[in-house]
Amino acid sequence: MTTGRRGRLTVYLGAAPGVGKTYAMLDEAHRRRARGTDLVIGLVETHGRAATVAKIGDLEMIPRRLAEHRGSTLTELDVPAVLERAPEVALVDELAHTNAPGSQHAKRWQDVHDLLDAGIDVVTTVNVQHIASLTDDVEAITGVRQRETVPDQVVRDADQIQLVDLSPEQLRRRLAHGNVYRAEQIDASMSSFFRVGNLTALRELALLWLADRVDDALTRYRADHSIGGTWPARERIVVAVTGGPETETLLHRAARIAQRAAGTELLAVHVLPTDGLPSTPSATIAAHRALVESLGGVFHTVVGEDVPSAVVDFARGVNATMIVVGVSRHPVWRQALLGSSSAEIARLSGTIDVHLVTHERARVGVGVRSRYSSLSPKRRAAGWGSAVLIPALLTAALLAIGTDDVALATDAMLLLAGVVGVALIGGLWPAVVAAVVSNLCLNWFFAPPVGRFTIAQGENVLALAVFVVIAVAVASVVDLAARRTTQAYRARAEASTLAALSRSVLSGQDTAQAIVHRLAQTFAMADVRLEERTDDRSPWSVVAHERWVTDAEPVPAGAEADPTVTEVVIDDRHRLVLAGRVLPASDRQVVEAFGVQAGIVLERRRLREQAAQAEVLERTESTRTALLAAVSHDLRTPLAAIRTAVDGLSSPDVELDREDRDVLTATIADSTHRLERLIGNLLDLSRIQTGAVRPALRAASLEEVVPIAVEPWLSDLALDVPEDLPLVHTDPGLFERVVANVVSNAVRHSPPGAKVLFTASAARDAVELRVADTGPGVPDERKTTMFEPFQRLDDTSAGGLGLGLAVAAGLANAVGARISAEDTPGGGLTMVLTVPRETALDDGMSS
C-alpha cells in the first residue's frame, strides 16, 4: 500500500512499566478493526501477562524476525514483512527498544519511521523514563540509568499522544497481584524502582512533559488562527524588571507565587529604550538576570518606546496569566500629574491579572541624578561662566553695531543662538540661566522703553516670554542630545572594552591575568589586583596582579580606605581592587561590568576545574575498581589453575600417568601465558599513560610486522594482504603489538568456527588494515569508550582486563597510526588501522 502520504504516529505514554500502555493500544486496535480498518500487529510484548495475551484475541499478527545473539535466539520486528503486507495500521510495542546486532536499524523507532514513510499508520508505546532528555532526571529519582532511549523529537512529532495514567497505589497493587512481573521479581521491584515516591515523581514527570508538548500545540494553534487574547491554559508569570532597588523584592515575590502551582513558568522582562542605550547599569541587569535564573525563571530584554505597552505586549505574546509590577517610586504629586507605569500596565492588561507589590522604595522618589555626571569639572565651570559671559558679549556686540534698524526679534534670535551655545558647553541648567540673563538684556537694552524693565508694547511682552520658553526648550533638547551622544560613546566604549576582555580570554591567555591586565590598561590604574578568599573570615589573597603605571608604588593589602582605591565585589569569594586615581561614577559602572564578566569567567573556570577533578577521580575510581575485580578474578583464575596443577604434579600421594602430566603441564603453560599477557598489557598501559613510550620510527614493510603479529591465530584468520603494498612509516615492534591486540580481540569475540577477515590496502598517503569479525558487535554509543582501559563487552567476558584495545590505541597513537571501529556488514565489528606511508622513500622511488 503506497498512498503517497506519510503515516500517522500515535504514542501511548506511561509513567512506568505496568500502567497499561500495551493493553490500551490493543483496546484501540479492536475498536479500529471493528470500524473496518485493515490492522495488523507488527510486534507486541506481553511479558507473560495473561490479560495482555487474552486482549490480543484474533488480531492478525506478523511473524517476528529471528536473530542470533551470543548464542541466544532473539525475536525482532520484521519490517520487510510488514511493508509487504501493507496494512493501514500497524501496532509496534516498546518504541525505545534496541534491536539485536545485525538488524537494519539499531533502534526500533527507526523501524517505525520506515513504516511511516511507507504510508502505514503506527500505534506504539513508550515510558517516560526512556525519553532522552529525561534520563538524567529519572536517574536522580530512581538511581537507575536508562540505557534504551528515544529522541524527544521522535515522540514530540507524533500526531497523537495518549497518556496512560495510573496512581502509584494502583500500580503497586497490580504489581503485588502478579499482573506486571513474575512472582520472584515482585518483592525486589516494590522495594526499589516501584517505591511510591519514585512512581509519584515519574508520574509528575510524565504529566509535565506532556503539558509542555500540549502547550507547544496550543501556541501553534493560536499563531495559526491569529488569536491575540490570553488563554489561561497554563500559569505564566511575567515580572516587569526596571533595574531599580525594588527588583529583587518583585522577583522573590513572583517566585513564591510560581511555586504554589507545579509547572508555573516565571519570566522576567526588562524594557530598553528604542535607541538601545541602557537606562540601568549593565552590572545591575546582569545581577538581576543571574537572580532570575537562580529562581528557575528566564530573563528577557525587549525594546520599546512606551514601557507599559511593551510589558503588556510581551505578556500577551507569551500567553501570560499574571503580570507582577512594583508600586511606583515616584511621589504622589508626580503620579497625579503624569501617572505611573504600574497603573498604565493595569489599564492595558485586559484579561491578564496584575499583581501590585509594595516595597521599601515605594513613593519615596526615584532620586535625581546629576545631569553633570558626564561632564568634567572644567566643563561645568566653563558652562556657568558662559551662562553670563555669552549673553553679555552678544549684547555688547549688538549695542556696538547699533540696533535702531534691527527688530527685537532679530536680537532675540541672536541671543537664542548664544543660549544654544551655552547648552552645548555646560548642559541644561547653565543654559536656563543664560536664557534668563538674555531675557533681561533684551528687556533692558532693546525693548522700548530702553534702560528700564518696563515694556511699552504688549507684543514685546509676548515676544520676551516666548523667547524664554523657546530658549529653555531648545536648551533641553540640545542638552539631551549631548548627554545621549555621550552615553552612546560610553556604551560603545564599554562594549569594546568587554569585547576586548572576551577576546583576550578566548585567545588562550590566563583568565585572571587577562582581566587585571585589561582593567589596568583601559583605566590607566597604577595597580590592579584580583583577590579571592576561601570563606567570609579568611583573609584575601591575590590571584592576579598588574601594575600599569610602572613608577607607582604597589598598593599594600588593607589600603582599601584610601579614597584613590576602588573596590568592586564580584561575589562572596572574589573582588577587584584598583588604585591610582579616584574613579568617577560612570567609570565605576564599567568596572562593575568587568566584575560581573570576571565572575562569570572565574565561575566557569572553577566548574571546569571541578569537572576535570571529578573526571580524574571517576577515572581513578573506575581503574581501582577494575583492578580489584581483575585481581579477584582475571588474575586469580590463572594463578589458581597454576597452583592446582603444581600441587597435582608435586603431590607424592597422587599417581599420574604421562597423559595426566602432559595435561597439567599444558594448563601451567596456558595459565602462565595468560598471566604474561595480562601483566604485559598493564605494564604497557602504565608506560603509555606516563609517556614512557619512545617509538623509533622508520620505513618498514608490513611483511616484517603482520606475520609475527598474527602467528598465534593463523588458524582463525582469513588473510588477504597483497605483497606489493608500499612501505609504511612506523615503529615495527610497537605496531606489531597494535596488530596483535586487535587480532586477539577479534578472534576472542568471534563465534566458534568463524573466520576473522584480515585485509590490507593502499590509499594515497596511508596503508589501511581492516580486521573484521562476525561477533556480537558494539553499539554506537560504546564505540567512543571502547578504547578506554577496562572496557569489556560485558561483565562475563573472561580472559582479559579489557586492556587490549586501550593498549592498541595508545601504541597506535605513539607510532602515528589511527585506530577506529566500524560495523561489519551483516553483523560484527571491523577494526580499521590506518598507518602513514613512507612518503620520502615513495617520492624517491617515483623520481
Side-chain angles (χ1 to χ4, degrees):
M1 179 189 69
T2 303
T3 63
R5 70 168 183 90
R6 180 175 172 80
R8 293 176 56 84
L9 177 63
T10 300
V11 175
Y12 280 89
L13 175 68
V19 296
K21 302 180 303 300
T22 304
Y23 196 91
M25 178 179 69
L26 292 171
D27 199 30
E28 179 182 346
H30 283 287
R31 290 195 302 271
R32 291 198 183 197
R33 195 186 65 166
R35 295 195 299 265
T37 303
D38 182 18
L39 180 145
V40 300
I41 294 178
L43 186 145
V44 166
E45 299 288 359
T46 64
H47 299 289
R49 300 166 188 163
T52 305
V53 174
K55 192 65 178 177
I56 293 176
D58 59 351
L59 294 175
E60 180 184 352
M61 300 181 65
I62 301 294
R64 300 190 185 190
R65 177 178 58 85
L66 301 181
E68 296 293 331
H69 179 59
R70 298 180 186 174
S72 301
T73 301
L74 304 178
T75 59
E76 298 290 354
L77 173 65
D78 194 339
V79 177
V82 177
L83 293 175
E84 183 179 358
R85 169 62 176 78
E88 296 179 48
V89 180
L91 306 187
V92 180
D93 209 0
E94 297 188 358
L95 184 63
H97 173 76
T98 300
N99 292 329
S103 301
Q104 182 180 0
H105 297 299
K107 295 288 186 177
R108 184 167 293 167
W109 62 263
Q110 296 171 310
D111 295 336
V112 167
H113 271 209
D114 287 349
L115 301 181
L116 295 173
D117 290 339
I120 300 174
D121 294 346
V122 176
V123 184
T124 186
T125 64
V126 69
N127 282 327
V128 70
Q129 67 261 30
H130 296 300
I131 296 178
S133 65
L134 302 179
T135 52
D136 291 338
D137 296 332
V138 172
E139 183 178 13
I141 294 169
T142 64
V144 178
R145 184 72 178 180
Q146 298 297 325
R147 300 300 179 186
E148 291 187 328
T149 61
V150 59
D152 286 51
Q153 201 60 42
V154 173
V155 185
R156 283 186 176 273
D157 288 343
D159 299 278
Q160 187 176 359
I161 299 179
Q162 296 283 350
L163 179 66
V164 181
D165 190 30
L166 203 63
S167 70
E169 293 76 13
Q170 289 176 304
L171 181 55
R172 284 172 59 86
R173 280 198 299 271
R174 291 196 64 197
L175 182 66
H177 293 159
N179 295 328
V180 179
Y181 292 143
R182 293 188 300 272
E184 62 271 18
Q185 297 177 290
I186 294 176
D187 291 338
S189 300
M190 292 190 71
S191 62
S192 57
F193 187 89
F194 284 83
R195 295 196 300 267
V196 173
N198 288 357
L199 297 178
T200 302
L202 291 173
R203 188 185 188 194
E204 182 178 19
L205 205 61
L207 291 169
L208 290 176
W209 189 91
L210 185 60
D212 284 336
R213 201 270 185 181
V214 173
D215 190 69
D216 292 340
L218 179 60
T219 301
R220 288 195 299 269
Y221 179 85
R222 295 176 69 244
D224 294 341
H225 293 78
S226 301
I227 298 174
T230 300
W231 285 11
R234 182 174 185 174
E235 292 292 332
R236 283 191 180 85
I237 299 176
V238 172
V239 187
V241 175
T242 64
E246 78 283 0
T247 298
E248 290 189 15
T249 303
L250 266 65
L251 291 174
H252 285 293
R253 178 60 176 156
R256 289 197 297 272
I257 296 174
Q259 290 171 359
R260 294 174 183 171
T264 301
E265 293 185 13
L266 177 65
L267 301 97
V269 58
H270 176 67
V271 181
L272 285 174
T274 52
D275 55 16
L277 297 176
S279 56
T280 304
S282 56
T284 303
I285 296 299
H288 291 162
R289 182 187 295 273
L291 176 60
V292 171
E293 293 174 352
S294 69
L295 295 173
V298 181
F299 192 93
H300 297 268
T301 301
V302 298
V303 177
E305 184 64 35
D306 181 62
V307 173
S309 298
V311 171
V312 174
D313 289 343
F314 173 82
R316 286 178 179 155
V318 297
N319 200 24
T321 55
M322 179 183 294
I323 302 175
V324 176
V325 295
V327 175
S328 176
R329 287 176 284 147
H330 295 297
V332 177
W333 65 267
R334 177 164 178 174
Q335 294 184 48
L337 292 176
L338 302 176
S340 66
S341 295
S342 56
E344 185 66 9
I345 288 174
R347 187 184 69 82
L348 297 172
S349 62
T351 59
I352 304 175
D353 295 339
V354 177
H355 189 90
L356 197 61
V357 179
T358 187
H359 49 86
E360 295 179 355
R361 299 289 300 175
R363 300 187 181 90
V364 299
V366 179
V368 179
R369 296 181 183 177
S370 173
R371 289 187 177 270
Y372 308 119
S373 60
S374 61
L375 301 178
S376 64
K378 291 182 179 180
R379 180 98 171 262
R380 295 199 297 268
W384 286 112
S386 62
V388 176
L389 185 60
I390 288 181
L393 291 176
L394 287 175
T395 300
L398 290 172
L399 292 174
I401 63 176
T403 60
D404 295 339
D405 298 329
V406 179
L408 180 62
T410 303
D411 298 330
M413 292 298 294
L414 291 173
L415 288 171
L416 179 61
V419 173
V420 173
V422 173
L424 291 172
I425 296 172
L428 177 60
W429 290 111
V432 172
V433 172
V436 174
V437 172
S438 298
N439 182 60
L440 294 175
C441 291
L442 283 172
N443 193 350
W444 183 271
F445 293 106
F446 305 109
V450 176
R452 297 168 61 185
F453 286 111
T454 59
I455 302 174
Q457 299 176 2
E459 63 270 18
N460 289 339
V461 176
L462 179 60
L464 292 176
V466 172
F467 170 80
V468 174
V469 173
I470 294 176
V472 173
V474 172
S476 299
V477 173
V478 172
D479 173 68
L480 179 62
R483 285 188 292 109
R484 300 302 273 178
T485 301
T486 303
Q487 291 175 4
Y489 283 134
R490 180 168 296 280
R492 186 172 66 180
E494 291 179 12
S496 176
T497 302
L498 293 176
L501 171 64
S502 301
R503 284 196 302 271
S504 63
V505 173
L506 294 175
S507 63
Q509 300 180 28
D510 178 71
T511 301
Q513 193 60 39
I515 293 170
V516 297
H517 174 77
R518 183 62 59 181
L519 272 172
Q521 182 184 42
T522 301
F523 297 99
M525 301 299 290
D527 190 274
V528 179
R529 298 195 308 271
L530 177 62
E531 300 178 343
E532 71 174 0
R533 59 182 179 182
T534 56
D535 53 57
D536 294 341
R537 298 182 179 180
S538 61
W540 292 99
S541 60
V542 178
V543 177
H545 182 213
E546 181 76 17
R547 293 181 61 197
W548 184 251
V549 183
T550 54
D551 57 353
E553 292 296 326
V555 179
E560 287 77 8
D562 192 323
T564 63
V565 174
T566 301
E567 175 186 336
V568 176
V569 177
I570 299 175
D571 53 41
D572 294 338
R573 298 179 57 248
H574 297 90
R575 70 175 181 178
L576 286 168
V577 180
L578 301 87
R581 63 185 177 90
V582 179
L583 280 179
S586 56
D587 283 350
R588 185 181 178 89
Q589 291 180 5
V590 184
V591 175
E592 289 176 350
F594 256 91
V596 172
Q597 182 79 1
I600 294 173
V601 171
L602 290 175
E603 180 65 14
R604 288 181 177 175
R605 185 179 68 172
R606 184 183 67 82
L607 292 175
R608 285 197 303 268
E609 291 174 351
Q610 288 183 348
Q613 293 173 359
E615 185 178 356
V616 171
L617 291 175
E618 183 179 0
R619 190 184 304 115
T620 302
E621 181 66 19
S622 176
T623 302
R624 185 171 67 88
T625 303
L627 279 174
L628 289 175
V631 170
S632 65
H633 179 268
D634 293 293
L635 295 180
R636 190 172 59 183
T637 298
L639 283 174
I642 293 174
R643 176 65 181 271
T644 301
V646 170
D647 288 345
L649 290 172
S650 61
S651 175
D653 300 330
V654 179
E655 292 287 340
L656 298 175
D657 55 22
R658 181 175 183 83
E659 183 179 353
D660 292 335
R661 287 182 175 275
D662 291 342
V663 170
L664 292 176
T665 304
T667 300
I668 294 174
D670 180 65
S671 299
T672 303
H673 175 70
R674 287 179 59 187
L675 278 177
E676 288 177 344
R677 182 161 53 86
L678 292 173
I679 295 172
N681 280 334
L682 282 172
L683 292 176
D684 285 341
L685 182 65
S686 175
R687 292 170 58 209
I688 292 170
Q689 292 182 339
T690 57
V693 176
R694 296 290 185 270
L697 302 179
R698 63 176 178 83
S701 170
L702 290 182
E703 292 180 357
E704 59 180 302
V705 174
V706 173
I708 300 176
V710 303
E711 182 179 3
W713 305 280
L714 278 176
S715 60
D716 299 308
L717 295 179
L719 287 173
D720 182 12
V721 181
E723 297 180 356
D724 58 347
L725 289 174
L727 298 178
V728 295
H729 186 72
T730 187
D731 182 319
L734 295 180
F735 190 62
E736 175 192 326
R737 293 293 309 278
V738 175
V739 176
N741 279 10
V742 170
V743 171
S744 171
N745 182 77
V747 171
R748 188 166 63 251
H749 291 99
S750 292
K755 293 281 188 177
V756 173
L757 179 61
F758 188 109
T759 62
S761 59
R764 179 177 179 181
D765 54 357
V767 173
E768 188 176 89
L769 306 180
R770 304 179 71 88
V771 181
D773 64 62
T774 55
V778 176
D780 291 340
E781 59 270 18
R782 293 198 56 183
K783 288 176 183 173
T784 57
T785 60
M786 62 185 295
F787 296 106
E788 297 177 3
F790 309 107
Q791 298 294 316
R792 298 192 295 187
L793 183 62
D794 53 43
D795 294 336
T796 62
S797 60
L801 300 180
L803 294 178
L805 292 182
V807 171
L811 293 177
N813 184 64
V815 300
R818 297 193 309 273
I819 183 171
S820 60
E822 300 176 357
D823 291 331
T824 301
L829 186 70
T830 298
M831 304 297 294
V832 182
L833 290 170
T834 306
V835 58
R837 292 172 54 164
E838 181 60 29
T839 54
L841 292 179
D842 288 350
D843 292 343
M845 289 186 295
S846 62
S847 60

